[in-house]
Every structure is written in structure tokens, then in C-alpha cells.
Amino acid sequence: LKVTVTEIPIPLSYGPAFEGERVRKDDLFAECGGRKSTCCELLRMREMEEVEDGRIEVVGPDIDELEPVGVLPLAIVVDVAGRKMQKDFEPILERQFHHLINSAEGIMHMGQRDISWIRISRQAREKGFKLSHIGDILHAKLLSDFPSIADKVQVTLYTEEDKVNEILQEARTLYNERDERLAGLKDESVDTFYSCSLCQSFAPNHVCVITPERLGLCGAYNWLDGQASYEIDPSGPNKPVAKGEVIDQHKGEWQGVNEFISQASKGNLERLKAYSILEDPMTSCGCFECIVALLPAANGVMVVDRDFSGMTPSGMTFSTLAGMVGGGIQTPGFLGVGKFYLGSDKFISAEGGFKRLVWMPSHLKERLRNMLQAQAEKVGEPDMLDKIADETVATTEMEVLEYLEKVGHPALGMDPMM
Ligand code: SF4
Ligand code: ZN
């Protein structure tokens, strides 16, 4: 007999109402991650005898030893054992940390994997909140939300620099393994995609269609995750979508997908062309890691991520663009995407693909360098990365065009986009 924990033993109010709440600078007691320190999270499958259910351990200082504003490195390691647990379920359970930790009043959680960021408010600290309570939340909720796969959960929170870095290395190896499982898989080699409607509480008509070569726009769900999530809960947010008859392989349009989105969007959408930014493009909720936007004069597209607050050559900042692109409506010329889609062979392949990329912030180019370089070589443009303009050489569409002409960017030799 399994005991179900329903009460969460923490000194704070807890529930979905607190999910979207921010912790601002003035209210801040302590933080982990967010460029201030390393912060990563890792969920690992373990054998039954390796996990002591309910064991929560903080290795290193907890926040009660800090003065405001305190900064700690943090690695959250959750070990899960269960008779029906599978390695493929690790990313699904790990992706839950975000909303589970966010649901505590006065605690903010952003990001995932090795870019997570946790803020703890002064009010939460006054009520007695400590890092160990993150362990209590994850233990209680993973057991109660996933009773069919999690039988035992133990949580260790490391806050010493050396140990955090050691976990970070282990975590990165595992993240890579997860991403690589997908590497050889092509859209053509499967007959089923997966939908994700997790975001319909914010954007009621939005549905992500996740294919092997195009992950969800939040960057946290890929095709294998959709499959695993459906296996865990067939009535949950991820459903198989049969491709059905091919309408247009080049633009990525299938009869079955059209029927699915028309029903899932309650009649608001009729057609989807998965590989196009100009014709019936994918919609967005608001979670996109990056926004891709057409730059007609430069005969290409730009991409911008959340961390870039300056003006882009589209004449809009990220937040202005985000207001246009979100909300579940098709906006030809604009796409919300997960950053790994930029390295996919299906990245706006209907319009010529990777060679259309003409501008991106320099930090994003650096962060994705290995993936982008591999793609540049694949399309026969090994020195293309240097030809993509960034904010240091161009902030208007005309400056982008001038730069492209100077360096001989391949987009200028392609068919006109408009
Ligand atoms: Fe799912 Fe898309 Fe929302 Fe990500 S952005 S959680 S894939 S609906
Ligand atoms: Zn969303």
C-alpha cells in the first residue's frame, strides 16, 4: 500500500494562483542562478533500494545562514524509483520542477536544466522558508501527481561550489544524451507527431505541434518527451497526431495535422505549414525561447531571444515582438521557436532554411555556436557564422543589408522572400 502525501509541509501558501508571481529586486532575500551563480536541476532514475523515500538533504549552507541579498550556487538532484519508472520519463518529471516550485507563494522559478533561476522573497524567508522546503515540495508533488510511476523520491540540494560544479558536469552529460537520442530521427521517418496543449490556460487556441525535427517553442518538450508524456497520462496535454495524407512535403503540410489543429484550436485555425514562416505558420502562446522575424529588405530572417533587451533590425524590441506573436494567432512573417529549432534541417526550410539567417544577438550566436557551425557546414557555408550580422554591426534593416553585401552573405543570392 502506498501512502499518498497531499499536504505539502512548507510554511507558505501553495497553489496554481502563485505560479505567475514574480519576486522583484526590492523584495529579494536570496537567489540561485540567473547569471549570479550556477544553478542546475537533474532528475535521475534509480533502483528501488538506492532511494530512501522522503529523504531531503541540504549539503552546504541553507539560506537561513545568509544575509539579504544572499547568493548561493545550487544543484537540485531528485532521485526517483518506481516499478513503472523509465529513463525516458526523466525529462518529463524534471520539467515539472518549474511549475511545482513556482506554486509556492513568494518563490519564483524560471528556466530549466542548467539555466534555472530561483528567487526567494523576504516575506517567504520571514515565514521560515528554507531551501530544504524545495525538497519537500518536489517529494510531495511528484508522488501525488505521478502515482503510477514514482514510488520513492529523495531530494538532495547541493550549495557548495565544488559539488555544484561536479553535478553540473553530470547533468550536462545527461542533457546531451537526451538531446542526442533524437538526433537521427527525421520527420519523414515517423507517421505520428505529438501535440502539446499545456499552455491553453494562457492561450486557449494555441497548440504546439511537436515533430522530431521541431521541438516545442518553449524548448522544454521534444517529440520523445511528447511520446513519453502520452504514455504516462493518455488524457494529459500531449496527444499523438497522425500525419495522415501528405499535402505538401516541402512546406510541411499534412491532412491529419490540419484536422487536429482545427479541432484543438476550436475552429480558429484550419491549416498549418510546419516548415514555413510566411504561409500558415505555427502559432505561439508566449513561452517561446526565441522569435524569428522576416527582414524583407535583407531577403532573410532575424532571430532574437529573451535576454536581448535592445532594439532589433525589425524596428521592434523582443517584448514588442512578443506581444504581436503570442496569443495563439497565426502571424505570417513571425515565429516563436525553441532555440534548438535553429539548428534543424526543417528550420523554415520552405523558404530556404538556415541560409536565410541574417541577424542575431552576439551572445546567442556564442551560446549556440557549436550547433550553428555544424549546420553552416551542412549547408555548404562553413564561414557563414561570421556573415550573420549582430548588434555590434547593425541595428537597422538597412545596416543589416549593408553588412550582408560587405561580407557576401548567401541570403542575397537566394530567391526573393516576398
Ligand atoms: Fe507545451 Fe508548447 Fe507550452 Fe511548451 S510552449 S509547454 S510545448 S504548449
Ligand atoms: Zn506557453
Side-chain angles (χ1 to χ4, degrees), residues 116-398:
S116 23
W117 178 20
I118 294 174
R119 282 189 147 185
I120 294 149
S121 71
R122 286 168 188 264
Q123 293 85 337
R125 178 60 208 129
E126 275 161 25
K127 290 179 186 156
F129 187 85
K130 299 199 287 176
L131 290 179
S132 58
H133 292 120
I134 290 178
D136 293 313
I137 294 171
L138 296 176
H139 168 255
K141 291 297 285 180
L142 289 172
L143 284 180
S144 64
D145 289 0
F146 296 91
S148 63
I149 54 175
D151 292 325
K152 286 173 155 191
V153 174
Q154 120 190 338
V155 185
T156 316
L157 300 113
Y158 297 94
T159 61
E160 285 161 342
E161 195 80 48
D162 287 358
K163 193 65 195 170
V164 169
N165 284 327
E166 195 183 311
I167 299 288
L168 182 67
Q169 294 318 313
E170 179 190 344
R172 285 192 171 146
T173 307
L174 276 163
Y175 304 151
N176 283 338
E177 282 171 14
R178 291 176 191 167
D179 294 338
E180 277 163 11
R181 284 183 312 146
L182 253 180
L185 208 55
K186 296 279 160 200
D187 287 2
E188 290 85 345
S189 45
V190 301
D191 51 18
T192 304
F193 296 152
Y194 285 90
S195 66
C196 188
S197 55
L198 210 60
C199 287
Q200 288 202 342
S201 48
F202 308 100
N205 298 328
H206 170 71
V207 52
C208 273
V209 176
I210 305 175
T211 82
E213 295 181 85
R214 184 172 185 170
L215 77 172
L217 55 88
C218 59
Y221 261 75
N222 65 31
W223 185 86
L224 287 171
D225 301 331
Q227 188 183 49
S229 165
Y230 178 69
E231 203 177 325
I232 294 170
D233 181 8
S235 61
N238 303 96
K239 302 263 188 307
V241 180
K243 284 155 75 177
E245 213 169 297
V246 180
I247 299 173
D248 189 331
Q249 179 60 45
H250 179 62
K251 291 180 179 167
E253 186 177 14
W254 303 268
Q255 189 64 39
V257 175
N258 281 349
E259 281 161 17
F260 183 91
I261 59 149
S262 122
Q263 174 235 331
S265 71
K266 300 159 198 86
N268 276 284
L269 303 174
E270 285 172 0
R271 308 180 73 167
L272 172 75
K273 295 190 178 64
Y275 310 145
S276 176
I277 186 174
L278 294 178
E279 266 180 76
D280 306 316
M282 189 100 73
T283 62
S284 293
C285 43
C287 302
F288 28 69
E289 284 185 295
C290 300
I291 295 173
V292 182
L294 177 69
L295 294 179
N299 205 31
V301 299
M302 54 155 266
V303 57
V304 60
D305 64 324
R306 278 176 196 275
D307 287 345
F308 187 76
S309 54
M311 183 54 73
T312 76
S314 67
M316 289 178 269
T317 59
F318 179 90
S319 40
T320 312
L321 282 164
M324 281 184 53
V325 180
I329 37 171
Q330 284 179 323
T331 40
F334 301 90
L335 276 184
V337 301
K339 59 182 183 299
F340 285 112
Y341 179 53
L342 303 174
S344 163
D345 291 345
K346 299 297 194 300
F347 171 66
I348 59 165
S349 50
E351 283 90 21
F354 187 71
K355 287 196 249 181
R356 292 287 187 186
L357 200 46
V358 297
W359 186 93
M360 70 198 299
S362 49
H363 67 246
L364 186 62
K365 201 195 280 188
E366 278 322 305
R367 225 174 275 169
L368 301 177
R369 182 166 281 278
N370 291 346
M371 180 185 84
L372 299 175
Q373 183 58 34
Q375 201 58 15
E377 285 164 23
K378 209 168 175 184
V379 302
E381 295 286 343
D383 48 4
M384 191 174 129
L385 258 59
D386 294 333
K387 296 180 179 173
I388 301 174
D390 62 33
E391 76 282 5
T392 64
V393 294
T395 51
T396 65
E397 201 167 343
M398 280 309 132

